[in-house]
Amino acid sequence: MAALAPYLFYSDVARAAAFLQEAFGFTLGFTSPDPAGGLAHAQLLHADGMIMLGHAGGGGLNLAEPASARAKLHAGVYVFVDDVDAHHARAAAAGATIKLPPADQPWGDRMYCCVDPEGQFWMFARRRA
């Protein structure tokens, strides 16, 4: 089990989970239905890591999806993948907004950056050496 599991908030958890599976290759783990319809919670798996998704605005905690926060950049998720260029092509084909195409970075990673349909910022990388 992963030691850390980022928890991201979306207005439509089911749609976000479907997009993240299609675009980024995550696999669906546990889900919890929302009594109003759709999903209230989803766990997406990648290697030995996990990302959790929750419903924005739920539980009186004043939670919001990134697009509604109107911030230029508030946070991001850095994910290691086996093939950055192939992952980039898959994400772009699925509709992710590419912010930085794959490039070798001075700290030793090959990385690209993108934004999903609800405005969450993602970075996908592989160590070069």
Side-chain angles (χ1 to χ4, degrees):
M1 177 183 280
L4 297 173
Y7 204 116
L8 309 175
F9 300 100
Y10 288 89
S11 62
D12 186 334
V13 174
R15 186 181 66 197
F19 176 83
L20 298 176
Q21 290 173 82
E22 178 186 355
F24 302 153
F26 289 110
T27 57
L28 188 63
F30 173 80
T31 62
S32 177
D34 186 330
L39 294 177
H41 174 82
Q43 295 176 356
L44 298 176
L45 310 173
H46 169 71
D48 63 351
M50 176 175 26
I51 301 283
M52 292 191 223
L53 310 181
H55 193 271
L61 297 174
N62 197 27
L63 306 172
E65 72 280 2
S68 71
R70 295 192 175 103
K72 290 190 184 278
L73 179 62
H74 54 87
V77 181
Y78 203 97
V79 181
F80 289 97
V81 296
D82 291 330
D83 185 335
V84 170
D85 295 277
H87 196 277
H88 165 264
R90 176 183 182 154
T97 302
I98 305 302
K99 295 295 190 179
L100 176 70
D104 294 340
Q105 303 301 323
W107 58 87
D109 291 356
R110 180 160 183 79
M111 179 189 75
Y112 82 93
C113 302
C114 65
V115 175
D116 70 25
E118 287 204 27
Q120 180 63 49
F121 184 71
W122 296 86
M123 298 156 281
F124 294 93
R126 178 178 172 101
R127 297 243 186 249
R128 287 186 324 213

